[in-house]
Amino acid sequence: MRLLVLLRNESRKTLHRLAFWVTFLFFGFVVLVDQLENMARTQAQPDRYDWTLPGAWADGIGGMGQPALFFSAVILLLLIASEFSWRTARQNVIDGLSKSQFFVGKLLLLPMMVGVFVGFTVLSTGLTAYFATDMAAFEGPLIQPTDWVMMGAFATAVLLYGSMALFAATAIRSSGPAMGVWFLWLALVEQMLPSVVNKIRDGWGPAMAPYQPGALGMRLLDNLEHDPAALQAAAVRAMEAGDPIPTALPGLWPAAWTWIAVLLLVSYILFRKRDL
C-alpha cells in the first residue's frame, strides 16, 4: 500500500479523535496566551522586555518547546495504544493491511506531530514577534542561521519524544499504563538511573545522565547548544558570577538520532513478535 494512502488513513483517524483536538487546542491556547503577553509587554515596555525578531525564535522554541514535547507524545500514546485496546489494530489487519503496513502507518504519526506542533509554535512565534518588532528600523534577516538549526533541533526533539511514546504504546498496548510508564521514565527513572550506574562504576553516572533520551530532548531545545555566540556570552556571565561554566554537549545530534533509530527498531520488533 502506498505511503500516501496510509498517511491519508492516519490523518483521517487522527482528525476524528477528540483526544487529539482537546490536547492540541489546550496546547495552542497556552502558547498563544504566553506569546501574546510577551508581545504586549514588549510593545508597552521595550526597555524591559524583548519579544522581537530574530531573538524571539530561540526564546519561543526554548519556552514552548518543552510543552510541545509532552503534548505531542501524549497524543501519540493515546492514538497508538488505543488501537490495541480497542482491537482496531487487529481489525485493520483482517481488513487487508499487513502488520508492517499498519506499523508504518503509526510511524507516519511522528512526522505529523512534528508538522503540527513545530509548525504551530514557529508560526505563532513569528507572527507575534513580527508585530512587536519595529520593522522600519530592522536590518538583517528575520531568521538567522542558528535559528534554522534551532528549529531543526526542535523537530528532532519532537521525534525523539514521539519515538519514546511509540515504544511505550507498542510495548504496553494500553493508553493509561503506557502513559504512566512514559511519565515514570521521564520523572523518576532518568533521575535515579545515573546514581545507580555511578555506584556500579564511579564517574559513569554523571557521564551518561545527559545522554538519556528525555534529557537529550531537553538539551536539543537549549539555544546554547546551537549558538556559539550565545554560549560564549553565557560562559562569560558565569565566570563573572562564579557559577559553573556552561558547555555544549558533545555528540548531541548523533546521540539523539541513535536513540530515535533504536526506539523505532525495538518497537517494530516487539510489534512483529506479539499477536494483535
Side-chain angles (χ1 to χ4, degrees):
M1 183 177 290
R2 296 179 180 178
L3 286 177
L4 288 178
V5 176
L6 292 173
L7 180 61
R8 182 189 63 193
N9 292 342
E10 294 302 323
S11 300
R12 286 179 175 175
K13 286 193 288 186
T14 300
L15 294 176
H16 282 85
R17 285 291 304 275
L18 182 61
F20 167 77
W21 287 110
V22 170
T23 307
F24 173 68
L25 290 176
F26 181 75
F27 166 78
F29 174 77
V30 172
V31 170
L32 286 177
V33 168
D34 179 74
Q35 295 183 349
L36 288 172
E37 285 183 352
N38 289 334
M39 182 183 73
R41 289 170 181 169
T42 299
Q43 291 176 331
Q45 297 176 293
D47 56 326
R48 293 186 58 188
Y49 300 99
D50 184 19
W51 184 256
T52 59
L53 296 173
W57 294 118
D59 294 337
I61 293 174
M64 287 296 107
Q66 293 185 23
L69 299 187
F70 286 97
F71 281 108
S72 62
V74 165
I75 288 176
L76 288 170
L77 284 163
L78 294 174
L79 293 178
I80 297 173
S82 63
E83 294 269 16
F84 300 103
S85 57
W86 292 353
R87 300 291 183 180
T88 51
R90 181 172 179 272
Q91 188 61 46
N92 284 166
V93 173
I94 292 174
D95 291 341
L97 285 182
S98 68
K99 293 184 72 172
S100 295
Q101 288 172 337
F102 177 83
F103 186 81
V104 170
K106 302 304 114 181
L107 282 182
L108 292 175
L109 289 173
L110 272 67
M112 285 171 58
M113 292 302 107
V114 170
V116 170
F117 283 86
V118 175
F120 182 85
T121 304
V122 169
L123 181 62
S124 61
T125 299
L127 287 176
T128 54
Y130 178 84
F131 288 114
T133 304
D134 183 4
M135 300 308 298
F138 185 84
E139 295 181 359
L142 294 175
I143 306 178
Q144 304 286 344
T146 53
D147 299 324
W148 289 112
V149 176
M150 189 73 179
M151 294 176 194
F154 184 17
T156 302
V158 174
L159 283 176
L160 177 55
Y161 269 60
S163 300
M164 295 170 63
L166 176 64
F167 170 76
T170 304
I172 301 173
R173 301 193 172 194
S174 180
S175 300
M179 193 176 301
V181 169
W182 184 82
F183 276 114
L184 185 66
W185 173 268
L186 293 174
L188 187 61
V189 175
E190 285 204 6
Q191 312 307 315
M192 297 177 59
L193 190 58
S195 298
V196 174
V197 172
N198 203 55
K199 291 179 179 179
I200 299 173
R201 188 66 178 262
D202 187 48
W204 282 22
M208 67 160 285
Y211 291 98
Q212 298 175 106
L216 282 172
M218 295 297 109
R219 293 296 288 261
L220 284 166
L221 299 177
D222 188 350
N223 186 50
L224 298 183
E225 296 288 346
H226 316 295
D227 189 342
L231 179 61
Q232 184 177 4
V236 171
R237 291 193 299 269
M239 290 179 62
E240 293 175 348
D243 297 329
I245 299 176
T247 58
L249 184 66
L252 173 63
W253 290 84
W257 282 103
T258 298
W259 269 113
I260 292 171
V262 169
L263 288 166
L264 295 183
L265 178 60
V266 174
S267 298
Y268 179 69
I269 293 173
L270 289 175
F271 175 75
R272 289 289 300 179
K273 285 190 173 183
R274 294 178 61 183
D275 293 334
L276 295 176

Coordinates of all heavy atoms in Angstrom, one line a residue, residues 156-237:
T156 N 13.7 17.5 15.8 CA 14.3 16.3 16.3 C 13.9 15.9 17.7 O 13.7 14.7 18.0 CB 15.9 16.4 16.2 OG1 16.3 16.8 14.9 CG2 16.6 15.1 16.7
A157 N 13.7 16.9 18.6 CA 13.3 16.6 19.9 C 11.9 16.0 19.9 O 11.6 15.1 20.7 CB 13.4 17.8 20.8
V158 N 11.0 16.6 19.1 CA 9.6 16.0 19.0 C 9.7 14.6 18.5 O 8.9 13.7 19.0 CB 8.7 16.9 18.1 CG1 7.4 16.3 17.9 CG2 8.6 18.3 18.7
L159 N 10.5 14.3 17.5 CA 10.6 12.9 17.0 C 11.2 12.0 18.1 O 10.7 10.8 18.2 CB 11.6 12.9 15.8 CG 11.0 13.4 14.5 CD1 12.1 13.4 13.4 CD2 9.9 12.5 14.0
L160 N 12.1 12.5 18.9 CA 12.7 11.7 20.0 C 11.7 11.3 21.0 O 11.5 10.1 21.4 CB 13.9 12.4 20.6 CG 14.6 11.7 21.8 CD1 15.0 10.3 21.4 CD2 15.7 12.6 22.3
Y161 N 10.9 12.3 21.5 CA 9.9 12.0 22.5 C 8.7 11.2 21.9 O 8.1 10.4 22.5 CB 9.3 13.4 23.0 CG 10.1 13.8 24.3 CD1 11.4 14.1 24.2 CD2 9.4 14.0 25.5 CE1 12.1 14.5 25.3 CE2 10.1 14.4 26.6 CZ 11.5 14.6 26.5 OH 12.2 15.0 27.7
G162 N 8.5 11.4 20.6 CA 7.5 10.6 19.9 C 7.9 9.2 19.8 O 7.1 8.3 19.9
S163 N 9.2 8.9 19.5 CA 9.7 7.6 19.5 C 9.6 6.9 20.8 O 9.3 5.7 20.9 CB 11.2 7.6 19.0 OG 11.3 8.2 17.7
M164 N 9.8 7.6 21.9 CA 9.6 7.0 23.2 C 8.2 6.7 23.5 O 7.8 5.6 24.0 CB 10.1 8.0 24.3 CG 11.6 8.3 24.3 SD 12.0 9.8 25.3 CE 11.5 9.1 26.9
A165 N 7.3 7.6 23.0 CA 5.8 7.3 23.2 C 5.4 6.1 22.3 O 4.6 5.2 22.8 CB 5.0 8.5 22.7
L166 N 5.9 6.0 21.1 CA 5.6 4.8 20.2 C 6.1 3.5 20.9 O 5.4 2.5 20.9 CB 6.2 5.0 18.9 CG 6.1 3.9 17.9 CD1 4.6 3.6 17.5 CD2 6.9 4.1 16.6
F167 N 7.3 3.6 21.4 CA 7.8 2.4 22.1 C 6.9 2.0 23.3 O 6.6 0.8 23.4 CB 9.2 2.6 22.6 CG 9.8 1.5 23.5 CD1 10.2 0.3 22.9 CD2 9.9 1.7 24.8 CE1 10.7 -0.7 23.7 CE2 10.4 0.7 25.7 CZ 10.8 -0.5 25.1
A168 N 6.5 2.9 24.1 CA 5.7 2.6 25.3 C 4.3 2.1 24.8 O 3.8 1.1 25.4 CB 5.5 3.9 26.2
A169 N 3.7 2.7 23.8 CA 2.4 2.3 23.4 C 2.5 0.9 22.7 O 1.6 0.1 22.9 CB 1.9 3.3 22.3
T170 N 3.5 0.6 22.0 CA 3.7 -0.7 21.3 C 4.0 -1.8 22.3 O 3.5 -2.9 22.2 CB 4.8 -0.6 20.3 OG1 4.5 0.4 19.4 CG2 4.9 -1.9 19.5
A171 N 4.8 -1.5 23.3 CA 5.1 -2.5 24.3 C 4.0 -2.8 25.3 O 3.8 -3.9 25.7 CB 6.4 -2.0 25.1
I172 N 3.3 -1.8 25.7 CA 2.3 -1.9 26.8 C 0.8 -2.1 26.2 O 0.0 -2.8 26.8 CB 2.4 -0.8 27.8 CG1 3.8 -0.7 28.4 CG2 1.3 -0.9 28.9 CD1 4.1 0.5 29.2
R173 N 0.5 -1.4 25.1 CA -0.7 -1.6 24.4 C -2.0 -1.2 25.2 O -3.0 -1.8 25.0 CB -0.8 -3.0 23.9 CG 0.3 -3.4 23.0 CD 0.1 -4.7 22.3 NE 1.1 -5.0 21.3 CZ 1.0 -5.9 20.3 NH1 -0.1 -6.6 20.2 NH2 2.0 -6.1 19.4
S174 N -1.8 -0.3 26.1 CA -3.0 0.3 26.8 C -2.7 1.7 27.1 O -1.6 2.0 27.7 CB -3.3 -0.5 28.0 OG -4.4 0.0 28.7
S175 N -3.6 2.6 26.8 CA -3.3 4.1 26.9 C -2.8 4.5 28.3 O -1.8 5.1 28.5 CB -4.5 4.9 26.5 OG -4.8 4.6 25.2
G176 N -3.6 4.1 29.3 CA -3.3 4.6 30.7 C -2.0 4.0 31.2 O -1.1 4.8 31.6
P177 N -1.8 2.7 31.2 CA -0.5 2.2 31.7 C 0.7 2.7 30.8 O 1.8 3.0 31.4 CB -0.7 0.7 31.5 CG -2.1 0.5 31.7 CD -2.8 1.6 31.0
A178 N 0.5 2.8 29.5 CA 1.6 3.3 28.7 C 2.0 4.7 29.0 O 3.2 5.0 29.1 CB 1.2 3.2 27.2
M179 N 1.0 5.5 29.2 CA 1.3 6.9 29.6 C 1.9 7.0 31.0 O 2.9 7.8 31.2 CB 0.0 7.7 29.6 CG 0.2 9.2 29.7 SD -1.3 10.2 29.6 CE -1.9 9.6 28.0
G180 N 1.5 6.1 31.9 CA 2.1 6.1 33.2 C 3.6 5.7 33.2 O 4.4 6.3 33.9
V181 N 3.9 4.7 32.4 CA 5.3 4.2 32.3 C 6.1 5.3 31.6 O 7.3 5.6 32.0 CB 5.3 2.9 31.5 CG1 6.8 2.6 31.2 CG2 4.7 1.8 32.3
W182 N 5.6 5.9 30.6 CA 6.3 7.0 29.9 C 6.6 8.2 30.9 O 7.8 8.6 30.9 CB 5.4 7.5 28.7 CG 6.1 8.5 27.9 CD1 7.0 8.3 26.9 CD2 5.9 9.9 27.9 NE1 7.4 9.5 26.3 CE2 6.7 10.5 26.9 CE3 5.1 10.8 28.7 CZ2 6.7 11.9 26.7 CZ3 5.2 12.1 28.5 CH2 6.0 12.7 27.5
F183 N 5.7 8.6 31.6 CA 5.9 9.7 32.6 C 6.8 9.2 33.7 O 7.7 10.0 34.2 CB 4.6 10.2 33.2 CG 3.9 11.2 32.4 CD1 2.6 10.9 31.8 CD2 4.4 12.4 32.2 CE1 2.0 11.8 31.1 CE2 3.7 13.4 31.4 CZ 2.5 13.1 30.9
L184 N 6.7 8.0 34.1 CA 7.6 7.4 35.2 C 9.0 7.4 34.7 O 9.9 7.8 35.5 CB 7.1 6.0 35.6 CG 7.9 5.4 36.7 CD1 7.6 6.1 38.0 CD2 7.5 3.9 36.8
W185 N 9.3 7.1 33.5 CA 10.6 7.1 33.0 C 11.2 8.5 33.0 O 12.4 8.7 33.5 CB 10.7 6.5 31.5 CG 12.0 6.7 30.9 CD1 12.5 7.7 30.2 CD2 13.1 5.7 31.0 NE1 13.8 7.5 29.8 CE2 14.2 6.3 30.3 CE3 13.2 4.5 31.7 CZ2 15.4 5.6 30.2 CZ3 14.5 3.8 31.6 CH2 15.5 4.4 30.9
L186 N 10.5 9.5 32.5 CA 11.0 10.8 32.5 C 11.1 11.4 33.9 O 12.1 12.1 34.1 CB 10.0 11.7 31.6 CG 10.0 11.4 30.1 CD1 8.9 12.2 29.5 CD2 11.3 11.6 29.5
A187 N 10.2 11.2 34.7 CA 10.1 11.9 36.0 C 11.0 11.2 37.1 O 11.5 11.9 38.0 CB 8.7 12.0 36.5
L188 N 11.1 9.9 37.0 CA 11.8 9.2 38.1 C 13.0 8.4 37.6 O 14.1 8.5 38.1 CB 10.8 8.2 38.7 CG 11.3 7.5 40.0 CD1 11.6 8.5 41.1 CD2 10.2 6.5 40.5
V189 N 12.8 7.5 36.6 CA 13.9 6.6 36.2 C 15.1 7.4 35.7 O 16.3 7.1 36.1 CB 13.4 5.6 35.1 CG1 14.6 4.8 34.6 CG2 12.3 4.8 35.7
E190 N 14.9 8.4 34.9 CA 16.1 9.1 34.3 C 16.8 9.9 35.4 O 17.9 10.3 35.3 CB 15.7 10.0 33.2 CG 15.4 9.3 31.9 CD 15.6 10.2 30.7 OE1 16.0 11.4 30.8 OE2 15.3 9.7 29.6
Q191 N 16.1 10.2 36.5 CA 16.7 10.9 37.6 C 17.5 10.0 38.5 O 18.5 10.4 39.1 CB 15.6 11.6 38.5 CG 14.6 12.4 37.7 CD 15.2 13.4 36.7 OE1 16.2 14.1 37.1 NE2 14.7 13.5 35.5
M192 N 17.0 8.8 38.6 CA 17.7 7.8 39.6 C 18.7 7.0 38.9 O 19.7 6.5 39.5 CB 16.6 6.9 40.2 CG 15.5 7.6 41.0 SD 14.3 6.4 41.6 CE 15.3 5.2 42.5
L193 N 18.6 6.7 37.6 CA 19.5 5.7 36.9 C 20.9 6.2 37.0 O 21.8 5.3 37.2 CB 19.0 5.6 35.5 CG 19.7 4.5 34.7 CD1 19.5 3.1 35.3 CD2 19.1 4.4 33.2
P194 N 21.3 7.4 36.8 CA 22.7 7.8 36.8 C 23.3 7.5 38.2 O 24.5 7.1 38.3 CB 22.7 9.3 36.6 CG 21.5 9.5 35.7 CD 20.5 8.6 36.3
S195 N 22.5 7.7 39.3 CA 23.1 7.4 40.6 C 23.3 5.9 40.8 O 24.3 5.5 41.4 CB 22.1 7.9 41.7 OG 21.9 9.3 41.6
V196 N 22.4 5.1 40.3 CA 22.6 3.6 40.3 C 23.8 3.2 39.5 O 24.7 2.4 40.0 CB 21.3 2.9 39.8 CG1 21.6 1.4 39.7 CG2 20.1 3.3 40.7
V197 N 24.0 3.8 38.3 CA 25.1 3.4 37.5 C 26.4 3.9 38.1 O 27.4 3.2 38.1 CB 24.9 4.0 36.1 CG1 26.2 3.8 35.2 CG2 23.7 3.4 35.4
N198 N 26.4 5.0 38.8 CA 27.6 5.6 39.4 C 28.1 4.7 40.5 O 29.3 4.7 40.8 CB 27.3 7.0 39.9 CG 28.6 7.8 40.0 OD1 29.3 7.9 39.0 ND2 28.8 8.4 41.2
K199 N 27.1 4.0 41.2 CA 27.5 3.1 42.3 C 28.2 1.9 41.7 O 29.1 1.3 42.4 CB 26.3 2.7 43.1 CG 25.7 3.9 43.9 CD 24.5 3.4 44.7 CE 23.9 4.6 45.5 NZ 22.7 4.2 46.3
I200 N 27.8 1.5 40.5 CA 28.5 0.3 39.9 C 29.9 0.7 39.3 O 30.8 0.0 39.5 CB 27.6 -0.2 38.7 CG1 26.2 -0.6 39.3 CG2 28.3 -1.3 38.0 CD1 25.2 -1.0 38.2
R201 N 29.9 1.9 38.7 CA 31.2 2.3 38.2 C 31.3 3.9 38.4 O 30.5 4.6 37.8 CB 31.3 2.0 36.7 CG 32.7 2.3 36.1 CD 33.7 1.3 36.7 NE 35.1 1.5 36.1 CZ 35.6 0.8 35.1 NH1 34.8 -0.3 34.6 NH2 36.8 1.0 34.6
D202 N 32.2 4.3 39.2 CA 32.3 5.7 39.6 C 32.6 6.5 38.4 O 33.5 6.2 37.6 CB 33.5 5.8 40.6 CG 33.5 7.2 41.2 OD1 32.5 7.8 41.5 OD2 34.6 7.8 41.2
G203 N 31.9 7.6 38.2 CA 32.1 8.5 37.1 C 31.2 8.3 35.9 O 31.0 9.2 35.1
W204 N 30.6 7.1 35.8 CA 29.8 6.8 34.7 C 28.4 7.4 34.8 O 27.8 7.8 33.8 CB 29.6 5.2 34.6 CG 30.8 4.6 34.0 CD1 32.1 5.0 33.9 CD2 30.8 3.3 33.3 NE1 32.9 4.1 33.3 CE2 32.2 3.1 32.9 CE3 29.9 2.3 33.1 CZ2 32.6 1.9 32.3 CZ3 30.3 1.1 32.4 CH2 31.6 0.9 32.0
G205 N 27.9 7.6 36.0 CA 26.6 8.2 36.2 C 26.5 9.6 35.6 O 25.6 9.8 34.7
P206 N 27.3 10.5 36.1 CA 27.3 11.9 35.5 C 27.5 11.9 34.0 O 27.0 12.8 33.3 CB 28.4 12.6 36.3 CG 28.5 11.8 37.6 CD 28.2 10.4 37.2
A207 N 28.4 11.0 33.5 CA 28.7 11.0 32.1 C 27.5 10.6 31.3 O 27.3 11.1 30.2 CB 29.9 10.1 31.8
M208 N 26.7 9.6 31.8 CA 25.6 9.1 31.0 C 24.3 9.9 31.1 O 23.4 9.9 30.3 CB 25.3 7.6 31.3 CG 24.7 7.5 32.8 SD 23.8 5.9 33.0 CE 22.3 6.2 32.2
A209 N 24.2 10.7 32.2 CA 23.0 11.4 32.5 C 22.4 12.3 31.4 O 21.3 12.2 31.0 CB 23.2 12.2 33.8
P210 N 23.3 13.1 30.8 CA 22.7 14.0 29.7 C 22.4 13.2 28.4 O 21.8 13.8 27.5 CB 23.8 15.0 29.5 CG 25.1 14.3 29.9 CD 24.7 13.4 31.0
Y211 N 22.8 11.9 28.3 CA 22.6 11.2 27.1 C 21.4 10.3 27.2 O 21.2 9.5 26.2 CB 23.9 10.4 26.7 CG 25.0 11.2 26.3 CD1 26.0 11.6 27.2 CD2 25.1 11.7 25.0 CE1 27.1 12.4 26.8 CE2 26.1 12.5 24.6 CZ 27.1 12.9 25.5 OH 28.2 13.7 25.1
Q212 N 20.6 10.4 28.2 CA 19.4 9.6 28.3 C 18.4 10.3 27.3 O 18.5 11.5 27.1 CB 18.9 9.6 29.7 CG 19.8 8.9 30.7 CD 19.3 9.0 32.1 OE1 18.8 8.0 32.7 NE2 19.5 10.1 32.7
P213 N 17.4 9.6 26.8 CA 16.6 10.2 25.7 C 15.8 11.4 26.2 O 15.7 12.4 25.4 CB 15.6 9.0 25.4 CG 15.7 8.0 26.5 CD 17.1 8.2 27.0
G214 N 15.2 11.4 27.4 CA 14.5 12.5 27.9 C 15.4 13.7 28.0 O 15.0 14.9 27.7
A215 N 16.6 13.5 28.6 CA 17.5 14.6 28.8 C 18.0 15.2 27.5 O 18.2 16.4 27.3 CB 18.7 14.1 29.7
L216 N 18.2 14.3 26.5 CA 18.7 14.8 25.2 C 17.6 15.7 24.5 O 18.0 16.7 23.9 CB 18.9 13.6 24.3 CG 20.3 12.8 24.5 CD1 20.3 11.6 23.6 CD2 21.4 13.7 24.1
G217 N 16.3 15.3 24.7 CA 15.3 16.2 24.1 C 15.3 17.6 24.7 O 15.2 18.6 24.0
M218 N 15.6 17.7 26.0 CA 15.7 19.0 26.7 C 16.9 19.8 26.2 O 16.8 21.0 25.9 CB 15.7 18.8 28.2 CG 14.5 18.2 28.8 SD 13.0 19.3 28.6 CE 12.1 18.3 27.4
R219 N 18.0 19.1 26.0 CA 19.2 19.7 25.6 C 19.1 20.2 24.1 O 19.6 21.3 23.7 CB 20.4 18.8 25.6 CG 20.8 18.4 27.0 CD 21.3 19.6 27.9 NE 22.6 20.1 27.5 CZ 23.8 19.8 28.1 NH1 23.8 18.9 29.1 NH2 24.9 20.3 27.7
L220 N 18.3 19.5 23.3 CA 18.1 20.0 21.9 C 17.3 21.3 21.9 O 17.5 22.1 20.9 CB 17.3 18.9 21.2 CG 18.1 17.7 20.7 CD1 17.1 16.6 20.3 CD2 19.0 18.1 19.6
L221 N 16.6 21.6 22.9 CA 15.8 22.9 23.0 C 16.6 24.0 23.6 O 16.1 25.1 23.6 CB 14.5 22.7 23.8 CG 13.5 21.6 23.3 CD1 12.4 21.5 24.3 CD2 13.0 22.0 21.9
D222 N 17.8 23.8 24.0 CA 18.6 24.8 24.6 C 19.4 25.5 23.5 O 20.2 24.9 22.8 CB 19.6 24.1 25.6 CG 20.4 25.2 26.4 OD1 20.3 26.4 26.1 OD2 21.0 24.8 27.4
N223 N 19.2 26.8 23.4 CA 19.8 27.6 22.4 C 21.4 27.6 22.5 O 22.1 27.8 21.5 CB 19.3 29.0 22.4 CG 19.8 29.9 21.3 OD1 19.8 29.5 20.1 ND2 20.4 31.1 21.6
L224 N 21.9 27.4 23.7 CA 23.3 27.4 23.9 C 24.0 26.2 23.2 O 25.2 26.3 22.9 CB 23.6 27.3 25.4 CG 23.1 28.5 26.3 CD1 23.6 28.4 27.7 CD2 23.6 29.9 25.7
E225 N 23.2 25.2 22.9 CA 23.8 24.1 22.2 C 24.0 24.4 20.7 O 24.7 23.6 20.0 CB 22.8 22.9 22.3 CG 22.7 22.3 23.7 CD 23.9 21.6 24.2 OE1 24.8 21.3 23.4 OE2 24.0 21.4 25.4
H226 N 23.3 25.4 20.2 CA 23.3 25.6 18.8 C 23.9 27.0 18.4 O 24.2 27.2 17.2 CB 21.9 25.5 18.2 CG 21.2 24.3 18.8 ND1 21.5 23.0 18.5 CD2 20.1 24.2 19.6 CE1 20.7 22.2 19.1 NE2 19.8 22.9 19.8
D227 N 24.1 27.9 19.3 CA 24.5 29.3 19.0 C 25.9 29.5 19.7 O 25.9 29.8 21.0 CB 23.5 30.3 19.5 CG 23.8 31.7 19.0 OD1 25.0 32.0 18.6 OD2 22.9 32.5 19.0
P228 N 27.0 29.4 19.0 CA 28.3 29.6 19.7 C 28.4 31.0 20.4 O 29.0 31.1 21.4 CB 29.3 29.4 18.6 CG 28.6 28.6 17.5 CD 27.2 29.0 17.6
A229 N 27.9 32.0 19.8 CA 28.0 33.4 20.3 C 27.2 33.4 21.7 O 27.7 34.0 22.6 CB 27.4 34.4 19.4
A230 N 26.0 32.8 21.7 CA 25.2 32.8 22.9 C 25.9 32.0 24.0 O 25.9 32.4 25.2 CB 23.8 32.3 22.7
L231 N 26.6 30.9 23.6 CA 27.3 30.1 24.6 C 28.5 30.8 25.2 O 28.7 30.7 26.4 CB 27.7 28.8 23.9 CG 28.5 27.8 24.7 CD1 27.7 27.3 25.9 CD2 29.0 26.6 23.9
Q232 N 29.2 31.5 24.3 CA 30.3 32.3 24.8 C 29.9 33.4 25.8 O 30.5 33.6 26.8 CB 31.1 32.9 23.6 CG 32.4 33.6 24.0 CD 33.1 34.2 22.8 OE1 32.7 34.0 21.7 NE2 34.3 34.7 23.1
A233 N 28.8 34.1 25.4 CA 28.3 35.1 26.3 C 27.9 34.6 27.6 O 28.1 35.2 28.7 CB 27.2 35.9 25.6
A234 N 27.2 33.4 27.6 CA 26.8 32.7 28.8 C 28.0 32.3 29.7 O 27.9 32.4 30.9 CB 25.9 31.5 28.5
A235 N 29.0 31.9 29.0 CA 30.2 31.5 29.7 C 30.9 32.6 30.4 O 31.4 32.5 31.6 CB 31.2 30.8 28.8
V236 N 30.9 33.8 29.8 CA 31.5 35.0 30.4 C 30.7 35.4 31.6 O 31.2 35.8 32.6 CB 31.5 36.1 29.3 CG1 31.9 37.5 30.0 CG2 32.5 35.8 28.2
R237 N 29.3 35.4 31.5 CA 28.5 35.8 32.6 C 28.7 34.8 33.8 O 28.7 35.2 35.0 CB 27.0 35.8 32.2 CG 26.7 36.9 31.2 CD 25.1 37.0 31.1 NE 24.5 35.8 30.6 CZ 24.3 35.6 29.3 NH1 24.7 36.5 28.4 NH2 23.7 34.5 28.9

